[in-house]
Amino acid sequence: MSGNNVIYDKNTLEFVTVALEFCALAETASGHTLYAFTDKAVKILPLLYLKAALLPDVEDAESEYEPEYFITENTYEAIRQRIAGLLGEYDSFLDTFHPDMNYSDTPIASTISENLADVYQDLGDFAALFRRENEDVMTQALFACKENFRIYWGQKLLNALKALHGVRFNEELSPDE
């Protein structure tokens, strides 16, 4: 499949749609109740993982394209804080897949908000580049996003999903919260 066709592949377009849905959820976290946010998150995250796993193979084409980053440290921190503020006491969890676990006898604490902000950072940059409608830039963005999914944010998504499952299906959490 040529680089120009891969960006119009059905799986790519479905991934873009779900990625934008996830970004919108992260950006509007503070406008949701805890129940509504976790309910939507436990549905969109598995779909996002599936769509990322189904992305077509993309070659790292040589181009003049230098990756641009749109999600600044301030934007990242604002997203993280919105989610952390909403989750409150439910934000922290023990991360069994943290790279430092190999060297530790004790569990390592992590937060759902940081894991989701990490996913948001990659997907926000990807979406901004995809909106450029320049096929070379779109192809390179797709390559980078797929590679980052494989080595970084795919695991972050799964870590957050596991912890969110515990929050969403907590018997003490009601739809009114």
Side-chain angles (χ1 to χ4, degrees), residues 65-78:
Y65 160 71
E66 280 295 317
E68 285 185 71
Y69 302 100
F70 298 88
I71 305 304
T72 64
E73 193 172 317
N74 289 341
T75 303
Y76 173 95
E77 189 57 24

Side-chain angles (χ1 to χ4, degrees), residues 71 117-127 144-145 148-149 152-153:
I71 305 304
D118 288 344
V119 174
Y120 175 83
Q121 186 170 31
D122 264 18
L123 295 181
D125 285 337
F126 166 77
C145 189
N148 289 344
F149 166 74
Y152 184 67
W153 68 262

Side-chain angles (χ1 to χ4, degrees), residues 22 25 37-38 40-46 48-49 83 87 90-98 110-120 152-169:
F22 168 78
L25 177 65
F37 178 82
T38 57
K40 189 163 186 178
V42 298
K43 294 172 182 166
I44 201 164
L45 290 173
L48 181 58
Y49 187 92
I83 296 169
L87 293 172
Y90 298 110
D91 194 25
S92 294
F93 68 96
L94 297 178
D95 186 353
T96 56
F97 283 99
H98 193 282
S110 190
T111 62
I112 295 169
S113 58
E114 186 173 347
N115 278 270
L116 291 181
D118 288 344
V119 174
Y120 175 83
Y152 184 67
W153 68 262
Q155 188 63 58
K156 298 286 187 173
L157 181 155
L158 293 172
N159 294 346
L161 178 60
K162 183 176 181 182
L164 280 164
H165 175 84
V167 176
R168 167 55 185 84
F169 296 101

Side-chain angles (χ1 to χ4, degrees), residues 19 21 34 51 89 93 95 160 172 175 177:
E21 276 291 312
L34 176 60
K51 294 304 178 184
E89 66 184 85
F93 68 96
D95 186 353
E172 296 171 13
E177 287 186 59

